[in-house]
Amino acid sequence: MKILVAIKQVPARDSQLIASTDGKWVDESSLEYEINEPDAYALEEALQLKESAGGGEVIAVCAGPDRASSTIREALAKGADRAIHIEVEDIANWDTLSVAKLLAAAAKAESPDLVLTGLQSDDVGAGQVGVVLAELLGLPHATIIMEVVIDGATVRVKRELEDGWFQHVSMPLPAVLTIQSGIKKLRYATLMGIKRAKTKEVKSLSPADLGVANTPSYQVVSVMLPQKSKQTVMLHTVAELVDKLKNEVRVI
Amino acid sequence: MSGILAVLEAGQKISLETLAAARDLGAKLQLPVHVVEPDRNYTADDYTDSLAQLIREKSFDLILFPHTYQVRDFAPKLATRFDRALISDVIRLRVEGAKLFATRQLFQGKLNAELEPIGKPIFLSLQAGAYAPAEAQAPTETLPAAGTSRQKPEERYREAQRAVDLSAAPIIVSVGRGIKEKENLSLIEDLAAVLGAEIAASRPICDNGWLPMERQVGSSGQTVTPKLYLAIGLSGAIQHLVGMKGSKTIVAINKDPNAPIFEVADYGICDDLFDVVPALTAAIKAAKS
């Protein structure tokens, strides 16, 4: 079983974010980066599927600038067998479709049995790359997956629906799945894994190598702080809050 | 210009919001509005094929969807068939002359981006609360089934009856990632105990197994409307907000002044929860005695 996992590098979760001077994205100068958390779960699921099958290959693919190599190394340290880095310095200017075209071109050359990715990214949060990849690769797909069972040439998955509902869906392999956070417990990279990662293959490709151009369906007009829908009354002491809870909310 | 297509989803309140948006845009852009609400068992392949056929036949300029889990499952695929990117979870639409601008969130609500579509057709999905719902359902066009699908869905089901019904709780103390470690949850338990509150959480807390999934509030958890919702160390990603913003009074404690939770909170304390929560528990205990 050959499993391709699309991963993304995103600003660390507690980053203080301000708009860039051109007002089209965020100021990246002082940000730290980490693996997009839902993608970490997709990687974990891929590694466990390979382990339970007793063999196969997990390939991490990541489109991003040079700095994304640290996230790729992390995936290799956790157990991915090799990686593909699609080097795109201005990845923030690429829309979801154009990014998915890059990933699809790289995936096509690999002919994987299964493509996994997180259900959405913590930065843009469009939640589309997996579904678009499926269409570009001509594969069936399912989203927001909490369980994956492979049975020969078929995969049966448990989808999360809204409001506490679930559904099992089966489809033929190869297929694309987007993985819900929390599907399995995440592993840490071991010291041995980190050491081994250094010797693993990372193939570098450019958009030109893949024959993909950035053809956006939209342009960013501006990035700004949200307008508040409510005027939050900011309190400065616990005593003030207790007073509100007692006299206005009347729960004490 | 040949019109707007609103693709609704049966039984979803957000569909009426999408219908209202379609009518509003139709009036402003002087475009006729068509509505479809496919009423059959869903598969991504079937919906994509049949909607693609309809959009091609009538060459719609703008296709609007409610941002539901089902739409997330097929709309990006449908847009791709037209070599377009879906502009998803839009929270605001603005029309300037014949131009349309869509605002969506970035970084889980910490920032917003206004986007201008380039080219046509435009595919947009609307987040809950973007529009006031339309009062009446529109007559819908039928959508013939495409007939083929690689996905074989089984019956939808709910897991065992929830032991905790947060929807009936008058006071909820809810905790997010800011709590850092499972061991620190005792701070929240102490506060909930003095308030006589139920404990709830955002998704990551339940994903980590620190609290059972049935205590999760948000789009994939429970929807709550308590008298008091006390959000502690909880940033307020939109998936969480949709589950709790109907609360009568919302109090947020968070050390990040730009946390989106402060956009919906009535009262806020911008400070470290590890300082505030124990002091609050003690003060409430004192006030009650």
Side-chain angles (χ1 to χ4, degrees), chain A residues 108-184:
Chain A
K108 211 168 251 170
E110 293 287 348
S111 309
D113 301 297
L114 197 58
V115 178
L116 302 185
T117 192
L119 82 161
Q120 64 186 38
S121 62
D122 288 338
D123 54 357
V124 176
Q128 295 180 28
V129 160
V131 182
V132 175
L133 259 178
E135 174 67 12
L136 293 171
L137 293 170
L139 300 180
H141 78 274
T143 51
I144 320 192
I145 300 307
M146 304 187 72
E147 194 180 282
V148 182
V149 177
I150 305 226
D151 180 13
T154 304
V155 59
R156 183 170 180 261
V157 297
K158 178 181 173 188
R159 286 184 68 204
E160 181 182 300
L161 309 175
E162 277 135 330
D163 203 22
W165 289 88
F166 301 94
Q167 184 178 41
H168 281 90
V169 181
S170 300
M171 69 201 80
L173 291 173
V176 181
L177 305 175
T178 78
I179 302 297
Q180 172 63 288
S181 298
I183 186 170
K184 299 268 166 67

Side-chain angles (χ1 to χ4, degrees), chain A residues 11 13-19 25-26 37 41 95-97 101 119-128 131-132 134-136 138-144 146 156 158-172 180-182 215-238 241-242 244-246 248-252, chain B residues 9 12 42 44-45 48 67-70 72-74 76-77 80-81 83-89 92 101 103-118 150-159 162 171 177 195 203-204 207-208 219-221 227-228 230 239 247-251 253 256-258 262-270 276 279-280 283-284 287-288:
Chain A
R13 192 167 282 276
D14 52 2
S15 299
Q16 290 300 318
L17 299 162
I18 51 166
W25 185 235
V26 290
E37 191 178 77
Y41 283 101
D95 70 17
T96 45
L97 175 59
K101 282 179 179 173
L119 82 161
Q120 64 186 38
S121 62
D122 288 338
D123 54 357
V124 176
Q128 295 180 28
V131 182
V132 175
E135 174 67 12
L136 293 171
L139 300 180
H141 78 274
T143 51
I144 320 192
M146 304 187 72
R156 183 170 180 261
K158 178 181 173 188
R159 286 184 68 204
E160 181 182 300
L161 309 175
E162 277 135 330
D163 203 22
W165 289 88
F166 301 94
Q167 184 178 41
H168 281 90
V169 181
S170 300
M171 69 201 80
Q180 172 63 288
S181 298
T215 50
S217 295
Y218 52 83
Q219 59 184 348
V220 178
V221 178
S222 62
V223 167
M224 66 233 137
L225 282 173
Q227 292 167 340
K228 291 181 187 296
S229 59
K230 247 185 198 176
Q231 198 53 50
T232 306
V233 177
M234 296 308 287
L235 308 173
H236 302 285
T237 65
V238 163
L241 177 54
V242 171
K244 299 287 181 200
L245 295 180
K246 199 170 182 174
E248 286 180 32
V249 192
R250 295 175 187 276
V251 291
I252 301 179
Chain B
E9 192 176 326
Q12 293 278 357
Y42 166 79
D45 278 353
T48 304
H67 191 71
T68 62
Y69 274 27
Q70 184 168 293
R72 291 175 62 155
D73 193 61
F74 78 91
K77 178 178 168 74
T80 303
R81 204 157 285 185
D83 200 32
R84 310 285 302 151
L86 167 74
I87 300 178
S88 65
D89 22 357
R92 196 162 50 245
F101 297 88
T103 300
R104 65 183 305 281
Q105 297 184 329
L106 297 176
F107 300 97
Q108 316 227 355
K110 287 185 185 167
L111 291 171
N112 283 349
E114 189 173 62
L115 311 177
E116 182 185 0
I118 304 170
R150 294 164 293 184
Q151 295 98 353
K152 304 279 172 262
E154 298 168 28
E155 281 300 310
R156 295 153 61 108
Y157 65 96
R158 267 190 153 136
E159 296 197 326
R162 287 170 175 150
I171 307 175
R177 280 178 196 272
L195 276 170
R203 174 136 202 142
D207 280 347
N208 284 340
S219 57
S220 55
K227 192 170 174 192
L228 171 66
L230 196 45
Q239 295 86 350
S247 305
K248 270 211 185 77
T249 303
I250 299 167
V251 175
I253 300 169
D256 177 5
N258 293 323
F262 287 126
E263 283 152 44
V264 298
D266 299 275
Y267 299 107
I269 293 188
C270 183
V276 177
L280 181 60
I284 292 170
K288 277 191 160 178

